[in-house]
Coordinates of all heavy atoms in Angstrom, one line a residue:
R1 N -165.4 213.8 26.7 CA -164.5 213.9 27.9 C -163.4 214.9 27.6 O -162.6 214.7 26.7 CB -163.9 212.5 28.2 CG -164.8 211.5 28.6 CD -164.1 210.2 28.9 NE -165.0 209.2 29.1 CZ -164.7 208.0 29.7 NH1 -163.5 207.8 30.1 NH2 -165.6 207.1 29.9
E2 N -163.3 215.8 28.4 CA -162.2 216.8 28.3 C -161.3 216.6 29.5 O -161.7 216.5 30.6 CB -162.7 218.2 28.3 CG -163.6 218.6 27.1 CD -164.0 220.0 27.1 OE1 -163.4 220.8 27.8 OE2 -165.0 220.3 26.4
G3 N -160.0 216.6 29.2 CA -159.0 216.4 30.2 C -159.0 215.0 30.9 O -158.5 214.8 32.0
G4 N -159.6 214.0 30.2 CA -159.6 212.7 30.7 C -160.6 212.4 31.8 O -160.7 211.3 32.4
G5 N -161.4 213.4 32.2 CA -162.4 213.2 33.3 C -163.7 212.6 32.8 O -164.0 212.7 31.6
D6 N -164.5 212.1 33.7 CA -165.8 211.6 33.3 C -166.8 212.7 33.3 O -166.8 213.6 34.2 CB -166.3 210.5 34.3 CG -165.6 209.2 34.2 OD1 -165.1 208.9 33.1 OD2 -165.4 208.5 35.2
V7 N -167.6 212.8 32.3 CA -168.7 213.8 32.2 C -170.0 213.1 32.3 O -170.3 212.1 31.5 CB -168.6 214.5 30.8 CG1 -169.7 215.5 30.7 CG2 -167.2 215.2 30.7
Q8 N -170.9 213.5 33.2 CA -172.2 212.9 33.4 C -173.1 213.5 32.3 O -173.2 214.7 32.1 CB -172.7 213.3 34.8 CG -174.0 212.5 35.1 CD -174.5 212.8 36.5 OE1 -173.7 213.3 37.3 NE2 -175.7 212.4 36.8
A9 N -173.9 212.6 31.7 CA -174.8 212.9 30.7 C -176.0 213.8 31.3 O -176.3 213.6 32.4 CB -175.4 211.7 30.0
I10 N -176.5 214.7 30.5 CA -177.6 215.6 31.0 C -178.8 214.7 31.2 O -179.3 213.9 30.4 CB -177.9 216.7 29.9 CG1 -176.6 217.5 29.6 CG2 -179.0 217.5 30.3 CD1 -176.1 218.2 30.8
R11 N -179.5 214.9 32.4 CA -180.7 214.3 32.8 C -180.7 212.8 32.9 O -181.7 212.1 33.0 CB -181.9 214.8 32.0 CG -182.2 216.2 32.1 CD -183.5 216.5 31.4 NE -183.8 218.0 31.6 CZ -184.8 218.6 31.1 NH1 -185.7 217.8 30.4 NH2 -185.0 219.8 31.2
I12 N -179.5 212.2 33.0 CA -179.3 210.8 33.1 C -178.7 210.6 34.5 O -177.6 211.0 34.7 CB -178.4 210.2 32.0 CG1 -179.0 210.5 30.6 CG2 -178.3 208.7 32.2 CD1 -180.3 209.9 30.3
P13 N -179.4 209.9 35.4 CA -178.8 209.7 36.7 C -177.5 208.8 36.6 O -177.4 207.9 35.8 CB -179.8 208.9 37.5 CG -180.9 208.5 36.6 CD -180.7 209.3 35.3
K14 N -176.6 209.1 37.5 CA -175.3 208.4 37.5 C -175.5 206.9 38.0 O -174.9 206.0 37.5 CB -174.3 209.1 38.4 CG -172.9 208.7 38.2 CD -171.9 209.6 38.9 CE -170.6 209.5 38.2 NZ -169.7 210.5 38.8
H15 N -176.5 206.7 38.9 CA -176.7 205.4 39.5 C -178.2 205.2 39.5 O -179.0 206.1 39.8 CB -176.2 205.3 40.9 CG -174.7 205.6 41.0 ND1 -173.8 204.7 40.5 CD2 -174.1 206.6 41.5 CE1 -172.6 205.2 40.8 NE2 -172.7 206.4 41.3
T16 N -178.6 203.9 39.2 CA -180.0 203.5 39.3 C -180.0 202.1 40.0 O -179.2 201.2 39.7 CB -180.6 203.3 37.9 OG1 -180.6 204.5 37.3 CG2 -182.1 202.8 38.1
Y17 N -180.9 202.0 41.1 CA -181.0 200.7 41.8 C -182.4 200.3 41.8 O -183.3 201.1 41.9 CB -180.6 200.9 43.3 CG -179.2 201.5 43.4 CD1 -179.0 202.9 43.7 CD2 -178.1 200.7 43.4 CE1 -177.7 203.4 43.8 CE2 -176.8 201.2 43.5 CZ -176.6 202.6 43.7 OH -175.4 203.1 43.9
N18 N -182.6 199.0 41.6 CA -183.9 198.4 41.6 C -184.0 197.2 42.6 O -183.0 196.4 42.6 CB -184.3 197.8 40.2 CG -184.3 198.9 39.2 OD1 -185.1 199.8 39.3 ND2 -183.5 198.8 38.2
L19 N -185.1 197.1 43.3 CA -185.3 195.9 44.2 C -186.8 195.5 44.0 O -187.7 196.4 44.1 CB -185.1 196.3 45.6 CG -185.4 195.3 46.7 CD1 -184.5 194.0 46.5 CD2 -185.3 195.8 48.1
K20 N -187.0 194.2 43.8 CA -188.4 193.7 43.6 C -188.6 192.6 44.5 O -187.8 191.6 44.5 CB -188.6 193.3 42.1 CG -190.0 192.9 41.8 CD -190.1 192.5 40.4 CE -191.4 192.8 39.8 NZ -191.5 192.4 38.4
L21 N -189.6 192.6 45.3 CA -190.0 191.6 46.2 C -191.4 191.0 45.8 O -192.3 191.8 45.5 CB -190.1 192.1 47.7 CG -188.8 192.8 48.2 CD1 -189.1 193.5 49.5 CD2 -187.7 191.8 48.3
T22 N -191.5 189.7 45.8 CA -192.7 189.0 45.4 C -193.1 187.9 46.4 O -192.2 187.4 47.0 CB -192.6 188.4 44.0 OG1 -191.6 187.4 44.0 CG2 -192.3 189.4 42.9
N23 N -194.4 187.7 46.5 CA -194.8 186.6 47.4 C -196.1 186.0 46.8 O -197.0 186.8 46.3 CB -195.1 187.2 48.8 CG -195.4 186.1 49.8 OD1 -194.9 185.0 49.7 ND2 -196.2 186.4 50.8
S24 N -196.3 184.7 46.9 CA -197.5 184.0 46.5 C -198.0 183.3 47.7 O -197.3 182.6 48.4 CB -197.2 183.1 45.4 OG -196.7 183.8 44.2
Y25 N -199.4 183.4 47.9 CA -200.0 182.7 49.0 C -201.5 182.5 48.7 O -202.2 183.4 48.4 CB -199.9 183.5 50.3 CG -200.5 182.8 51.5 CD1 -199.9 181.8 52.1 CD2 -201.7 183.3 52.0 CE1 -200.4 181.1 53.2 CE2 -202.2 182.7 53.1 CZ -201.6 181.6 53.7 OH -202.2 181.0 54.8
K26 N -201.9 181.2 48.6 CA -203.3 180.8 48.4 C -204.0 181.6 47.2 O -205.0 182.2 47.4 CB -204.1 181.0 49.7 CG -203.7 180.1 50.8 CD -204.6 180.2 52.0 CE -204.2 179.2 53.0 NZ -205.1 179.2 54.2
G27 N -203.3 181.6 46.1 CA -203.9 182.2 44.9 C -203.6 183.7 44.8 O -203.9 184.3 43.7
F28 N -203.1 184.3 45.8 CA -202.7 185.8 45.7 C -201.3 185.9 45.4 O -200.4 185.2 45.9 CB -203.0 186.5 47.1 CG -204.4 186.7 47.3 CD1 -205.2 185.9 48.1 CD2 -205.1 187.9 46.8 CE1 -206.5 186.1 48.4 CE2 -206.4 188.1 47.1 CZ -207.1 187.2 47.9
D29 N -201.0 186.8 44.5 CA -199.6 187.2 44.2 C -199.4 188.6 44.5 O -200.2 189.5 44.0 CB -199.3 187.0 42.7 CG -199.3 185.5 42.2 OD1 -198.9 184.7 43.0 OD2 -199.8 185.2 41.1
S30 N -198.4 189.0 45.3 CA -198.2 190.3 45.7 C -196.8 190.7 45.3 O -195.8 189.9 45.4 CB -198.3 190.5 47.2 OG -199.6 190.2 47.6
K31 N -196.6 192.0 44.9 CA -195.3 192.5 44.5 C -195.1 193.9 45.0 O -196.1 194.7 45.1 CB -195.3 192.6 43.0 CG -195.5 191.3 42.3 CD -195.6 191.5 40.8 CE -195.9 190.2 40.1 NZ -197.3 189.9 39.8
V32 N -193.9 194.2 45.4 CA -193.5 195.6 45.7 C -192.1 195.8 45.1 O -191.3 194.9 45.1 CB -193.5 195.9 47.3 CG1 -192.5 194.9 48.0 CG2 -193.2 197.3 47.6
S33 N -192.0 196.9 44.4 CA -190.7 197.2 43.8 C -190.3 198.6 44.2 O -191.1 199.5 44.4 CB -190.7 197.1 42.3 OG -191.6 198.1 41.7
F34 N -189.0 198.8 44.4 CA -188.4 200.1 44.8 C -187.4 200.4 43.6 O -186.6 199.6 43.2 CB -187.6 200.0 46.1 CG -188.4 199.5 47.2 CD1 -188.6 198.2 47.6 CD2 -189.1 200.5 48.0 CE1 -189.3 197.8 48.7 CE2 -189.9 200.1 49.1 CZ -190.0 198.8 49.4
I35 N -187.5 201.6 43.2 CA -186.6 202.1 42.1 C -186.0 203.4 42.6 O -186.7 204.4 42.9 CB -187.3 202.3 40.8 CG1 -188.0 201.0 40.3 CG2 -186.3 202.8 39.7 CD1 -189.0 201.3 39.2
H36 N -184.6 203.4 42.7 CA -184.0 204.6 43.2 C -183.1 205.2 42.1 O -182.3 204.4 41.4 CB -183.1 204.3 44.4 CG -182.3 205.6 44.8 ND1 -182.9 206.6 45.5 CD2 -181.0 205.9 44.6 CE1 -182.0 207.5 45.7 NE2 -180.9 207.2 45.2
K37 N -183.2 206.4 41.8 CA -182.4 207.2 40.8 C -181.6 208.2 41.6 O -182.1 209.0 42.3 CB -183.3 207.9 39.8 CG -184.3 207.0 39.1 CD -183.7 206.3 37.9 CE -184.8 205.5 37.2 NZ -184.3 205.0 35.9
S38 N -180.3 208.2 41.3 CA -179.4 209.2 42.0 C -179.6 210.6 41.3 O -180.3 210.7 40.3 CB -178.0 208.8 41.9 OG -177.5 208.8 40.6
S39 N -179.0 211.5 41.8 CA -179.1 212.9 41.3 C -178.5 212.9 39.8 O -177.8 212.0 39.4 CB -178.3 213.9 42.1 OG -176.9 213.5 42.2
S40 N -179.0 213.9 39.1 CA -178.5 214.1 37.7 C -178.3 215.5 37.5 O -178.6 216.4 38.3 CB -179.6 213.5 36.7 OG -180.8 214.1 36.9
L41 N -177.8 215.9 36.3 CA -177.5 217.2 35.9 C -178.5 217.7 34.9 O -178.9 216.9 34.0 CB -176.1 217.4 35.5 CG -175.0 217.1 36.5 CD1 -173.6 217.1 35.8 CD2 -175.1 218.0 37.7
D42 N -178.8 219.0 34.9 CA -179.7 219.6 33.8 C -178.9 220.7 33.2 O -178.0 221.3 33.8 CB -181.0 220.0 34.4 CG -182.0 220.3 33.4 OD1 -181.8 220.0 32.2 OD2 -183.1 220.9 33.8
D43 N -179.2 221.0 32.0 CA -178.6 222.1 31.3 C -179.7 223.2 31.1 O -180.5 223.2 30.2 CB -178.1 221.6 29.9 CG -177.5 222.7 29.1 OD1 -177.2 223.8 29.6 OD2 -177.4 222.5 27.8
T44 N -179.6 224.2 32.0 CA -180.6 225.3 32.0 C -180.2 226.4 31.1 O -181.0 227.3 30.8 CB -180.9 225.8 33.4 OG1 -179.7 226.3 33.9 CG2 -181.5 224.7 34.3
T45 N -179.0 226.5 30.6 CA -178.5 227.5 29.8 C -178.4 227.1 28.3 O -178.0 227.9 27.5 CB -177.2 228.1 30.3 OG1 -176.2 227.0 30.3 CG2 -177.3 228.7 31.6
Y46 N -178.7 225.8 28.0 CA -178.7 225.2 26.7 C -177.3 225.3 26.0 O -177.2 225.6 24.8 CB -179.8 225.9 25.8 CG -181.1 225.7 26.4 CD1 -181.7 226.8 27.1 CD2 -181.8 224.5 26.5 CE1 -182.9 226.7 27.7 CE2 -183.0 224.4 27.1 CZ -183.6 225.5 27.7 OH -184.8 225.4 28.3
N47 N -176.2 225.2 26.8 CA -174.9 225.2 26.2 C -174.2 223.9 26.3 O -173.0 223.7 26.0 CB -174.0 226.3 27.0 CG -173.8 225.9 28.4 OD1 -174.3 224.9 28.9 ND2 -173.1 226.8 29.1
G48 N -175.0 222.8 26.7 CA -174.4 221.5 26.7 C -173.7 221.1 27.9 O -173.1 220.0 28.0
I49 N -173.7 222.0 28.9 CA -173.0 221.7 30.2 C -174.0 221.6 31.3 O -174.8 222.5 31.4 CB -171.9 222.8 30.5 CG1 -170.9 222.9 29.3 CG2 -171.3 222.6 31.8 CD1 -170.0 224.1 29.4
G50 N -173.9 220.6 32.1 CA -174.8 220.4 33.2 C -174.5 221.5 34.3 O -173.5 221.4 34.9
D51 N -175.4 222.4 34.5 CA -175.2 223.5 35.4 C -176.1 223.5 36.6 O -175.9 224.3 37.5 CB -175.2 224.8 34.7 CG -176.5 225.1 34.0 OD1 -177.5 224.2 34.1 OD2 -176.7 226.1 33.2
T52 N -177.1 222.6 36.6 CA -178.0 222.5 37.7 C -178.2 221.1 38.1 O -178.4 220.2 37.3 CB -179.4 223.1 37.3 OG1 -179.2 224.4 36.9 CG2 -180.4 223.0 38.4
E53 N -178.1 220.8 39.4 CA -178.2 219.4 39.9 C -179.7 219.1 40.2 O -180.3 219.9 41.0 CB -177.4 219.2 41.2 CG -177.4 217.7 41.6 CD -176.5 217.4 42.8 OE1 -175.6 218.3 43.1 OE2 -176.6 216.3 43.3
L54 N -180.2 218.1 39.7 CA -181.6 217.6 40.0 C -181.5 216.5 41.0 O -180.6 215.6 41.0 CB -182.2 217.0 38.7 CG -182.3 217.9 37.5 CD1 -182.8 217.2 36.3 CD2 -183.2 219.1 37.8
A55 N -182.3 216.6 42.0 CA -182.3 215.7 43.2 C -182.6 214.3 42.7 O -183.4 214.1 41.8 CB -183.3 216.2 44.3
G56 N -182.1 213.3 43.4 CA -182.4 211.9 43.2 C -183.8 211.6 43.8 O -184.4 212.5 44.6
Y57 N -184.3 210.5 43.5 CA -185.7 210.1 44.0 C -185.8 208.6 44.0 O -185.1 207.9 43.4 CB -186.8 210.8 43.1 CG -186.7 210.4 41.7 CD1 -187.4 209.3 41.2 CD2 -186.0 211.1 40.8 CE1 -187.4 208.9 39.9 CE2 -185.9 210.7 39.4 CZ -186.6 209.6 39.0 OH -186.6 209.2 37.7
T58 N -186.8 208.2 44.8 CA -187.2 206.8 44.9 C -188.7 206.6 44.6 O -189.5 207.3 45.1 CB -186.9 206.3 46.3 OG1 -185.5 206.4 46.6 CG2 -187.2 204.8 46.5
L59 N -189.0 205.6 43.8 CA -190.3 205.2 43.5 C -190.7 203.9 44.2 O -189.8 203.0 44.3 CB -190.5 205.0 42.0 CG -190.3 206.2 41.1 CD1 -190.3 205.8 39.6 CD2 -191.2 207.3 41.4
V60 N -191.9 203.8 44.6 CA -192.4 202.6 45.2 C -193.6 202.1 44.4 O -194.6 202.9 44.3 CB -192.8 202.7 46.7 CG1 -193.4 201.4 47.3 CG2 -191.6 203.2 47.5
N61 N -193.6 200.9 43.8 CA -194.7 200.4 43.0 C -195.3 199.2 43.7 O -194.5 198.3 44.2 CB -194.2 200.0 41.6 CG -193.7 201.2 40.9 OD1 -194.2 202.3 41.0 ND2 -192.6 201.0 40.1
L62 N -196.6 199.1 43.8 CA -197.3 198.0 44.5 C -198.2 197.2 43.5 O -198.8 197.9 42.6 CB -198.1 198.5 45.6 CG -197.4 199.4 46.7 CD1 -198.4 200.0 47.6 CD2 -196.4 198.6 47.4
G63 N -198.3 195.9 43.7 CA -199.2 195.2 42.8 C -199.7 193.9 43.5 O -199.0 193.4 44.4
S64 N -200.8 193.5 43.1 CA -201.4 192.3 43.7 C -202.4 191.7 42.6 O -203.0 192.4 41.9 CB -202.2 192.6 45.0 OG -202.6 191.4 45.6
S65 N -202.4 190.4 42.6 CA -203.4 189.7 41.7 C -203.9 188.5 42.4 O -203.3 187.9 43.3 CB -202.7 189.3 40.4 OG -201.6 188.4 40.6
Y66 N -205.1 188.1 41.9 CA -205.7 186.9 42.5 C -206.2 186.0 41.3 O -206.9 186.5 40.4 CB -206.9 187.3 43.4 CG -207.7 186.1 43.9 CD1 -207.1 185.3 44.9 CD2 -209.0 185.8 43.4 CE1 -207.8 184.2 45.4 CE2 -209.7 184.7 43.9 CZ -209.1 183.9 44.9 OH -209.8 182.8 45.4
N67 N -205.8 184.7 41.4 CA -206.3 183.8 40.4 C -207.7 183.3 40.8 O -207.8 182.3 41.6 CB -205.3 182.6 40.2 CG -204.0 183.1 39.7 OD1 -203.9 183.9 38.8 ND2 -202.9 182.7 40.3
Y68 N -208.7 183.9 40.2 CA -210.1 183.5 40.6 C -210.4 182.1 40.2 O -211.0 181.3 40.9 CB -211.0 184.5 40.0 CG -212.5 184.3 40.4 CD1 -212.9 184.6 41.6 CD2 -213.4 183.8 39.4 CE1 -214.3 184.4 42.0 CE2 -214.7 183.6 39.8 CZ -215.1 183.9 41.0 OH -216.4 183.7 41.4
D69 N -210.1 181.8 38.9 CA -210.2 180.4 38.4 C -209.2 180.3 37.3 O -208.4 181.1 37.0 CB -211.6 180.1 38.0 CG -212.2 181.0 36.9 OD1 -211.4 181.5 36.1 OD2 -213.4 181.1 36.9
A70 N -209.3 179.2 36.5 CA -208.3 178.9 35.5 C -208.3 179.9 34.4 O -207.4 180.1 33.7 CB -208.5 177.5 34.9
D71 N -209.5 180.6 34.2 CA -209.7 181.5 33.1 C -209.7 183.0 33.5 O -209.7 183.9 32.7 CB -210.9 181.2 32.3 CG -210.9 179.9 31.7 OD1 -209.8 179.5 31.2 OD2 -211.9 179.2 31.7
T72 N -209.7 183.3 34.8 CA -209.9 184.6 35.3 C -208.9 185.0 36.4 O -208.6 184.3 37.3 CB -211.3 184.8 36.0 OG1 -212.3 184.3 35.0 CG2 -211.6 186.2 36.3
K73 N -208.3 186.2 36.1 CA -207.3 186.7 37.0 C -207.6 188.2 37.3 O -207.9 188.9 36.4 CB -205.9 186.6 36.4 CG -204.8 187.1 37.3 CD -203.4 186.9 36.6 CE -202.3 187.2 37.5 NZ -201.0 186.9 36.9
I74 N -207.7 188.6 38.6 CA -208.0 189.9 38.9 C -206.7 190.6 39.4 O -206.0 190.1 40.3 CB -209.1 190.0 40.1 CG1 -210.3 189.3 39.6 CG2 -209.4 191.4 40.5 CD1 -211.3 189.0 40.7
S75 N -206.4 191.8 38.9 CA -205.1 192.4 39.2 C -205.3 193.9 39.6 O -206.2 194.5 39.1 CB -204.2 192.4 38.0 OG -203.9 191.1 37.6
L76 N -204.4 194.4 40.4 CA -204.4 195.8 40.8 C -202.9 196.2 40.9 O -202.1 195.5 41.4 CB -205.1 196.0 42.2 CG -204.9 197.4 42.8 CD1 -205.7 198.4 42.0 CD2 -205.4 197.4 44.2
K77 N -202.6 197.3 40.3 CA -201.3 197.9 40.3 C -201.3 199.3 40.6 O -202.1 200.1 40.0 CB -200.6 197.6 38.9 CG -199.1 198.0 38.9 CD -198.5 197.5 37.6 CE -197.0 197.8 37.6 NZ -196.4 197.4 36.3
V78 N -200.4 199.8 41.5 CA -200.3 201.2 41.8 C -198.8 201.6 41.6 O -198.0 201.1 42.3 CB -200.8 201.5 43.3 CG1 -200.6 202.9 43.6 CG2 -202.2 201.0 43.5
N79 N -198.6 202.5 40.7 CA -197.2 203.0 40.5 C -197.0 204.3 41.2 O -197.9 205.1 41.3 CB -197.0 203.2 39.0 CG -196.8 201.9 38.3 OD1 -196.3 200.9 38.8 ND2 -197.3 201.9 37.0
N80 N -195.8 204.5 41.7 CA -195.5 205.7 42.5 C -196.4 205.9 43.7 O -197.1 206.9 43.8 CB -195.5 206.9 41.6 CG -194.7 208.1 42.1 OD1 -194.0 207.9 43.1 ND2 -194.8 209.2 41.5
A81 N -196.5 204.8 44.5 CA -197.5 204.8 45.5 C -197.3 205.8 46.7 O -198.3 206.3 47.3 CB -197.6 203.4 46.2
F82 N -196.1 206.2 46.9 CA -195.9 207.2 48.0 C -195.1 208.4 47.5 O -194.4 208.4 46.6 CB -195.0 206.6 49.1 CG -195.6 205.3 49.7 CD1 -195.1 204.1 49.4 CD2 -196.7 205.4 50.5 CE1 -195.7 202.9 49.9 CE2 -197.3 204.3 51.1 CZ -196.8 203.0 50.8

């Protein structure tokens, strides 16, 4: 920190938000999760100073499983679905 100000770390988003929703119904378990990363800085001149802003992004992950019987579970997971 120079001059008492906050310095954002290189390639580390300032904010990260997570939301996970789950539901169970008749042997099926369903999940959807949202992960949002705010913008971050990159150092393209390799001098340790963030000189380029990288855009924030949101990921959507989907998952579902079915309990076939006491010994068998069938699962499907899709990361970064959209």
Side-chain angles (χ1 to χ4, degrees):
R1 295 182 186 196
E2 293 183 22
D6 288 332
V7 177
Q8 185 176 348
I10 303 299
R11 294 190 181 179
I12 304 295
K14 198 168 201 174
H15 303 288
T16 300
Y17 304 99
N18 296 300
L19 174 65
K20 186 181 215 180
L21 305 170
T22 61
N23 187 33
S24 296
Y25 181 73
K26 293 187 177 182
F28 284 96
D29 294 323
S30 299
K31 300 173 185 94
V32 60
S33 67
F34 301 91
I35 303 167
H36 176 75
K37 306 276 185 168
S38 68
S39 62
S40 60
L41 298 175
D42 194 9
D43 178 14
T44 60
T45 58
Y46 305 103
N47 63 0
I49 299 173
D51 55 8
T52 302
E53 185 173 351
L54 303 174
Y57 59 91
T58 300
L59 299 174
V60 178
N61 300 323
L62 305 172
S64 186
S65 62
Y66 177 70
N67 295 318
Y68 184 73
D69 60 29
D71 298 321
T72 307
K73 182 176 187 177
I74 301 168
S75 299
L76 173 67
K77 186 173 182 180
V78 178
N79 288 326
N80 199 10
F82 303 106

